[in-house]
Amino acid sequence: MSNITAAVIANRNKKHFLGVPAPLGYVAGVGRGATGFTTRSDIGPARDANDVSDDRHAPPATKRKKKDEEEEEDEDLNDSNYDEFSGYSGSLFSKDPYDKDDEEADAIYDSIDKRMDEKRKEYRDRRLREDLERYRQERPKIQQQFSDLKRSLASVTSEEWSTIPEVGDSRNRKQRNPRAEKFTPLPDSLISRNLGGESSSTLDPSSGLASMVPGVATPGMLTPTGDLDLRKIGQARNTLMNVKLSQVSDSVTGQTVVDPKGYLTDLQSMIPTYGGDINDIKKARLLLKSVRETNPNHPPAWIASARLEEVTGKVQMARNLIMRGCEMNIQSEDLWLEAARLQPPDTAKAVIAQAARHIPTSVRIWIKAADLESETKAKRRVFRKALEHIPNSVRLWKAAVELENPDDARILLSRAVECCNTSVELWLALARLETYENARKVLNKARENIPTDRQIWTTAAKLEEANGNIHMVEKIIDRSLTSLTVNGVEINRDQWFQEAIEAEKSGAVNCCQSIVKAVIGIGVEEEDRKQTWIDDAEFCAKENAFECARAVYAHALQIFPSKKSIWLRAAYFEKNHGTRESLEALLQRAVAHCPKSEILWLMGAKSKWMAGDVPAARGILSLAFQANPNSEDIWLAAVKLESENSEYERARRLLAKARGSAPTPRVMMKSARLEWALEKFDEALRLLEEAVEVFPDFPKLWMMKGQIEEQQRRADDAAATYTLGLKKCPTSIPLWILSANLEERKGVLTKARSILERGRLRNPKVAVLWLEAIRVELRAGLKEIASTMMARALQECPNAGELWAEAIFMETKPQRKTKSVDALKKCEHDPHVLLAVSKLFWSEHKFSKCRDWFNRTVKIDPDLGDAWAYFYKFELLHGTEAQQLEVLDRCISAEPTHGESWCRVSKNIQNWQFKTPEVLRAVVRELSIPI
């Protein structure tokens, strides 16, 4: 206790500054007047690093280093290193300590230097570019100097090319010179015939030709005296060849046993196929040998050893090993199967027969034995022998039945279901082979033996439907659910929906509808029914099970007859996957339950109109008027119906009534557009002037008024209209672009830039305005300004696909691929970028990739008309007629309405009656092939 108290007191009396580092600039003893001093013992490690050291006793190397430093300092401070403006180039205070004041001063000077450097940067860069261009002109590259000579190489003929000598290659030079002197050794027959007359058969050793014959005298070698007999030399050579051939001849028949075709194959088989390290193989052999000796009853060790030898090319050793393993583990079917695999076919049969004697209850061994047989009759015999030993194997019964004809298969299946009465597959296979009455009995027996399987019930329902008993299908499905529930089977909606889909694919439409109707409400909460059923219908449609989806929609509409969203989804489903008659029948029921839904009326009228039944379409619209008086959409649909059928007076009267009862901006716009299309410019302008007074914030009215004035060549009035419209509708992007384009056509490029700049200030981060400004500069030929503006645009709108698509083709050809990769990283699913990449592949003649990317583009955004136009033009140039028709049909069904080139054609008042095919062909004529 006393020790603890003493420690506490000691800590309490301890000064707070002990153990803390001294503050900056602290010198001990200065406060009380003491000054520091140095003794002889302090010289050395106790000195400050910046103090001047005493070098009297320093080693020679240190003195030499000190002398070099002094000389360097003198060099820095001499007159040659001095400048009147900047002073000495060296540092006068390099040895002084570097404190915070110095650091702050250096930072200030660095910031001043950086600011001054930024002011001179543009001038310096321009000067550098000019100097580099001048240098390239004065001293061009070697590649540029010889470019004309390299082009002239195209005119060099093959004969001139072959006569060009190569440095240091005398052998090739001799070969290329056909007139050079050649020396060719003469054959023995020619020598014996021509040397010394016809009868001479000897060669004088002293002659120069004797060196051509082996054993003949050569300078510096001992040679026999006398003449040489060339005939004896030839006979000796023939005798030697006969001896060699006799060594490889058959001793019985005297014929050669060398197979010329298989000789190289045998040589190839001698090459080791394993490319690994031989040391690894040796280690593996030792390990596996140890495993075999330690536990010889372990089959995987024998199998691994045999496969190792097989991989290294020693097949016979592998066979020996696996057979020894079979002797040690006579009951292992894996070893017997591996042995059969390694043996040649004839030996494999004997091995597998031995295996079947030892393990008669192995299904895999019997199936392997059947696979080794080549004749069907032998296979049947094997399977029947196997079924005697294993009568309850479903796999063996199925394999045996597949080899029989239908009559024998039925007899075999009758026996199979007796032996394997719990196999659903065997019962169903037997039912398919039986007649209708017998099939019903078979399925009844199957239900008795397997009361918990749903496939037996659905098969019974399909059987009844196939034989025309439609009324029995629904009863069977209902009874199946009741029976399965009683037997404790959980009813799974997803599994039953899969059964319904399979039933539809097999052609049992009533069966699939009955299944859907029976299980659609199982396990679904009341408040989740609508969304769950919609999801079910979409899932079935995705699986191409249209009858199942139709059954889901029918049940949902029966429960929710007044839900407009379900009617709409069902109508769109019939439009995409049904017939026109089914769509019209559905729409008639829909408008009866939802008469206030305008879109259902309009879909019905459009269906009649597209089928050419204009009076029926008028009748539907008149009924729609009665149910929805003063509806803008119905008024405009009626006007479009009359104008498309050239009933212009009726369209005018309808529009006049609409303006009187429902004076909306769209009605006013359609009225003016009709007059404009019929070239009644004064009436159109009168309507537009009335409209802009009532609806000044509707930008399309100002745009139409300005376009009509442009068409009348009243550019100043059009500019005034656009200016006034921009004051009323400053957020209308097309209005800004129309105004800028008008000034550009007038030649006032500065004003066009100003308008687009004001538009970007008023509507920041709008990519279309940036794109139009860039194109203004490109059309003016100012590519550098356009590139600078593109960089600014991508900084402000980094995810704008329109800008990236334009940026790709602003680059040079080698840089386009890199730019497209950057664009895809930023806008992976943007249709404009995908379209630009498709055009890039087109320009590189990669047609297969181009077609894939076009398909990807129209799949992501089927409403982009430009993509369809480029796709169709591509198929017209590089596709087949079937591919062209496919793209055209897909475009017509998609009915695109957007796209720069598409809108330029479709919005043109001269093309106001164009349908989708006409617009597509007109856009294709305007498009150019990407290069």
Side-chain angles (χ1 to χ4, degrees):
M1 186 68 182
S2 61
N3 293 335
I4 296 174
T5 306
V8 171
I9 293 170
N11 289 334
R12 188 182 302 164
N13 295 332
K14 188 177 180 181
K15 301 299 183 181
H16 69 279
F17 53 80
L18 293 177
V20 179
L24 188 65
Y26 171 77
V27 179
V30 172
R32 64 177 186 273
T35 57
F37 59 91
T38 304
T39 64
R40 174 62 62 182
S41 62
D42 294 326
I43 298 174
R47 281 187 177 274
D48 188 6
N50 294 323
D51 289 347
V52 180
S53 62
D54 189 0
D55 293 334
R56 288 178 297 174
H57 304 288
T62 307
K63 291 182 179 180
R64 197 180 313 115
K65 183 178 180 183
K66 182 67 177 180
K67 186 177 180 181
D68 294 342
E69 290 177 355
E70 289 177 356
E71 290 177 358
E72 185 179 352
E73 184 178 354
D74 293 339
E75 289 177 1
D76 290 340
L77 302 179
N78 60 16
D79 294 337
S80 63
N81 215 14
Y82 176 77
D83 183 68
E84 292 182 359
F85 178 73
S86 58
Y88 286 102
S89 62
S91 175
L92 297 176
F93 308 101
S94 61
K95 295 183 179 297
D96 292 344
Y98 188 78
D99 54 11
K100 288 188 176 180
D101 294 337
D102 295 330
E103 184 178 357
E104 184 179 358
D106 287 344
I108 293 172
Y109 279 117
D110 289 341
S111 63
I112 294 172
D113 291 341
K114 188 176 180 181
R115 180 68 182 272
M116 297 296 292
D117 184 67
E118 287 178 355
K119 289 184 177 180
R120 295 191 295 267
K121 183 179 180 182
E122 185 178 355
Y123 169 75
R124 188 170 64 252
D125 292 345
R126 186 172 68 253
R127 179 81 175 273
L128 181 63
R129 286 197 301 270
E130 292 174 357
D131 291 345
L132 185 61
E133 291 176 0
R134 187 167 59 253
Y135 179 79
R136 288 301 183 197
Q137 291 175 359
E138 293 174 357
R139 298 182 181 180
K141 296 180 181 179
I142 297 178
Q143 181 181 3
Q144 296 174 351
Q145 292 178 0
F146 291 97
S147 59
D148 54 341
L149 297 176
K150 290 167 74 175
R151 282 194 297 271
S152 63
L153 285 176
S155 59
V156 177
T157 62
S158 58
E159 291 80 6
E160 292 174 342
W161 187 271
S162 62
T163 57
I164 296 174
E166 294 185 11
V167 178
D169 193 359
S170 60
R171 179 176 55 83
N172 291 341
R173 186 161 63 246
K174 288 179 180 180
Q175 289 178 358
R176 285 176 179 157
N177 189 0
R179 284 177 286 184
E181 188 176 2
K182 294 182 180 180
F183 297 96
T184 305
L186 294 176
D188 296 347
S189 59
L190 188 63
I191 293 172
S192 62
R193 244 191 347 260
N194 295 322
L195 288 177
E198 290 294 331
S199 60
S200 176
S201 61
T202 61
L203 185 65
D204 186 5
S206 61
S207 65
L209 294 175
S211 61
M212 300 181 193
V213 183
V216 184
T218 54
M221 295 180 64
L222 289 174
T223 55
T225 58
D227 296 339
L228 293 176
D229 192 348
L230 295 178
R231 285 196 182 92
K232 291 182 179 179
I233 293 174
Q235 291 172 0
R237 186 179 60 187
N238 293 336
T239 304
L240 182 62
M241 183 63 68
N242 289 331
V243 170
K244 290 182 179 180
L245 289 175
S246 63
Q247 291 176 355
V248 293
S249 63
D250 189 358
S251 60
V252 178
T253 60
Q255 296 180 356
T256 180
V257 295
V258 176
D259 182 11
K261 293 183 179 179
Y263 186 64
L264 293 178
T265 308
D266 292 339
L267 288 177
Q268 184 68 26
S269 65
M270 294 170 65
I271 300 174
T273 56
Y274 179 71
D277 191 0
I278 192 66
N279 293 322
D280 295 339
I281 299 174
K282 291 180 179 178
K283 290 178 183 178
R285 280 199 184 105
L286 287 174
L287 288 172
L288 291 172
K289 182 179 179 181
S290 176
V291 173
R292 293 196 309 270
E293 292 176 352
T294 305
N295 187 6
N297 296 322
H298 186 56
W302 295 98
I303 294 173
S305 301
R307 289 184 179 175
L308 175 64
E309 301 302 336
E310 182 188 10
V311 167
T312 55
K314 299 181 178 180
V315 181
Q316 189 58 45
M317 188 179 293
R319 291 170 181 167
N320 296 337
L321 274 172
I322 204 70
M323 292 309 297
R324 283 170 52 201
C326 291
E327 293 173 2
M328 300 294 294
N329 302 274
I330 205 166
Q331 295 296 321
S332 174
E333 64 176 10
D334 291 330
L335 276 173
W336 286 110
L337 290 172
E338 184 70 14
R341 185 185 69 82
L342 289 172
Q343 298 290 347
D346 295 336
T347 313
K349 289 182 181 179
V351 170
I352 209 71
Q354 188 178 357
R357 283 195 297 272
H358 291 295
I359 319 173
T361 57
S362 174
V363 176
R364 293 168 61 196
I365 286 178
W366 286 109
I367 290 177
K368 181 67 177 178
D371 291 340
L372 290 174
E373 299 292 342
S374 56
E375 296 181 0
T376 307
K377 187 176 180 180
K379 289 178 184 288
R380 290 175 184 164
R381 187 167 59 249
V382 170
F383 279 127
R384 292 184 181 180
K385 187 74 173 177
L387 288 170
E388 292 177 4
H389 292 88
I390 320 168
N392 59 349
S393 173
V394 177
R395 187 177 176 187
L396 286 175
W397 281 110
K398 287 168 62 178
V401 167
E402 288 174 357
L403 297 175
E404 304 291 342
N405 55 43
D407 295 333
D408 294 338
R410 185 167 60 250
I411 298 170
L412 206 60
L413 281 170
S414 301
R415 174 62 180 162
V417 295
E418 293 176 5
C419 298
C420 308
N421 58 0
T422 59
S423 173
V424 178
E425 294 180 81
L426 295 178
W427 283 107
L428 296 181
L430 179 58
R432 292 190 191 99
L433 293 175
E434 292 287 358
T435 60
Y436 170 59
E437 295 296 333
N438 291 334
R440 293 181 68 181
K441 296 176 182 177
V442 168
L443 290 174
N444 287 330
K445 288 182 182 179
R447 282 202 298 269
E448 293 173 2
N449 287 280
I450 316 170
T452 58
D453 191 86
R454 66 179 182 279
Q455 290 186 355
I456 299 173
W457 291 96
T458 55
T459 305
K462 294 176 189 176
L463 178 64
E464 298 295 339
E465 182 177 354
N467 287 274
N469 298 324
I470 306 299
H471 63 283
M472 291 293 295
V473 174
E474 191 170 351
K475 293 180 181 179
I476 292 174
I477 297 299
D478 293 337
R479 285 172 55 197
S480 70
L481 294 175
T482 306
S483 175
L484 291 172
T485 306
V486 169
N487 285 281
V489 178
E490 181 184 357
I491 306 300
N492 190 314
R493 287 181 81 252
D494 296 336
Q495 293 178 356
W496 279 95
F497 263 102
Q498 287 294 336
E499 286 290 336
I501 293 172
E502 294 297 329
E504 180 180 349
K505 290 180 179 178
S506 64
V509 176
N510 289 284
C511 180
C512 81
Q513 291 174 348
S514 300
I515 292 173
V516 170
K517 184 178 178 182
V519 303
I520 194 170
I522 296 176
V524 181
E525 298 292 336
E526 187 173 354
E527 60 271 13
D528 297 335
R529 289 185 298 175
K530 177 185 171 185
Q531 188 58 43
T532 303
W533 293 345
I534 289 174
D535 293 341
D536 290 337
E538 290 177 353
F539 170 74
C540 293
K542 192 182 295 184
E543 295 289 327
N544 293 328
F546 302 133
E547 292 297 333
C548 292
R550 198 170 279 119
V552 173
Y553 279 126
H555 183 79
L557 291 172
Q558 188 177 357
I559 304 299
F560 302 107
S562 60
K563 292 290 184 181
K564 183 180 75 171
S565 60
I566 302 179
W567 284 109
L568 273 176
R569 289 178 181 273
Y572 283 125
F573 171 79
E574 293 295 342
K575 180 182 177 182
N576 294 328
H577 305 293
T579 61
R580 184 175 63 85
E581 291 78 9
S582 64
L583 173 62
E584 291 174 357
L586 180 71
L587 289 172
Q588 286 180 1
R589 292 166 48 212
V591 296
H593 288 91
C594 303
K596 296 296 181 182
S597 177
E598 299 171 359
I599 189 170
L600 294 174
W601 289 103
L602 295 177
M603 287 180 70
K606 185 176 181 180
S607 178
K608 292 290 186 183
W609 172 43
M610 296 299 288
D613 194 353
V614 178
R618 288 189 184 127
I620 291 175
L621 289 175
S622 63
L623 293 173
F625 274 123
Q626 296 175 9
N628 301 275
N630 299 330
S631 171
E632 179 188 57
D633 291 332
I634 295 176
W635 278 111
L636 295 179
V639 170
K640 184 176 181 179
L641 178 65
E642 301 300 341
S643 60
E644 292 286 346
N645 289 280
S646 303
E647 298 286 346
Y648 304 127
E649 291 302 324
R650 297 184 66 168
R652 282 194 177 104
R653 288 198 298 271
L654 285 171
L655 285 169
K657 289 181 182 179
R659 290 197 300 272
S661 59
T664 62
R666 288 183 64 206
V667 170
M668 300 297 293
M669 183 189 70
K670 293 292 183 181
S671 302
R673 181 175 173 79
L674 179 63
E675 301 298 339
W676 184 17
L678 297 176
E679 298 184 354
K680 305 290 184 182
F681 299 125
D682 296 335
E683 182 64 20
L685 287 173
R686 184 186 65 80
L687 290 170
L688 287 170
E689 287 171 358
E690 293 178 3
V692 295
E693 291 178 1
V694 182
F695 308 105
D697 56 346
F698 194 68
K700 289 187 177 181
L701 298 174
W702 296 102
M703 292 161 60
M704 288 177 62
K705 187 172 182 294
Q707 287 173 328
I708 292 173
E709 289 169 345
E710 280 190 60
Q711 191 172 349
Q712 292 180 330
R713 302 184 184 278
R714 294 158 53 192
D716 295 335
D717 294 340
T721 299
Y722 291 144
T723 304
L724 188 58
L726 287 173
K727 291 179 181 178
K728 301 291 184 182
C729 312
T731 59
S732 174
I733 307 303
L735 201 52
W736 286 102
I737 295 175
L738 283 173
S739 179
N741 288 341
L742 176 60
E743 299 299 335
E744 185 184 4
R745 284 194 294 272
K746 289 165 63 177
V748 190
L749 196 61
T750 308
K751 193 169 183 180
R753 289 177 181 146
S754 174
I755 291 171
L756 291 171
E757 183 70 27
R758 285 191 289 117
R760 294 198 300 274
L761 290 174
R762 189 58 194 255
N763 304 277
K765 296 186 178 180
V766 177
V768 181
L769 288 174
W770 280 104
L771 182 62
E772 189 60 33
I774 293 165
R775 287 178 176 172
V776 166
E777 303 299 340
L778 288 174
R779 288 193 289 265
L782 305 173
K783 189 173 181 180
E784 292 184 359
I785 298 176
S787 300
T788 306
M789 193 170 289
M790 176 62 77
R792 289 174 53 202
L794 289 175
Q795 286 180 352
E796 186 171 337
C797 309
N799 298 320
E802 301 95 333
L803 292 175
W804 282 106
E806 186 73 18
I808 290 173
F809 284 93
M810 283 178 63
E811 298 288 339
T812 58
K813 275 191 175 182
Q815 299 296 325
R816 288 179 183 175
K817 189 172 183 180
T818 306
K819 200 71 173 180
S820 65
V821 172
D822 296 338
L824 287 171
K825 288 180 181 177
K826 289 287 185 180
C827 316
E828 184 179 0
H829 301 293
D830 190 280
H832 298 89
V833 173
L834 296 180
L835 178 59
V837 174
S838 307
K839 291 158 61 178
L840 181 62
F841 282 126
W842 189 356
S843 66
E844 295 175 353
H845 298 280
K846 297 178 180 178
F847 299 139
S848 178
K849 286 187 177 181
C850 177
R851 184 176 286 109
D852 294 340
W853 280 83
F854 272 132
N855 277 311
R856 191 180 304 180
T857 306
V858 298
K859 186 177 181 180
I860 284 181
D861 188 5
D863 197 48
L864 184 63
D866 289 3
W868 287 110
Y870 273 108
F871 195 6
Y872 188 56
K873 188 177 185 72
F874 170 77
E875 294 296 353
L876 287 175
L877 294 174
H878 306 290
T880 62
E881 187 175 354
Q883 291 171 330
Q884 297 165 12
L885 290 175
E886 181 191 0
V887 174
L888 180 61
D889 294 340
R890 289 169 62 190
C891 178
I892 292 171
S893 62
E895 295 183 356
T897 56
H898 292 88
E900 185 180 358
S901 301
W902 186 274
C903 290
R904 188 164 53 244
V905 172
S906 63
K907 299 290 184 183
N908 191 343
I909 197 63
Q910 297 177 354
N911 307 329
W912 69 289
Q913 286 185 315
F914 275 16
K915 303 288 190 304
T916 301
E918 289 85 355
V919 176
L920 179 64
R921 294 187 179 96
V923 176
V924 165
R925 285 194 295 270
E926 288 190 2
L927 295 178
S928 59
I929 300 174
I931 56 174

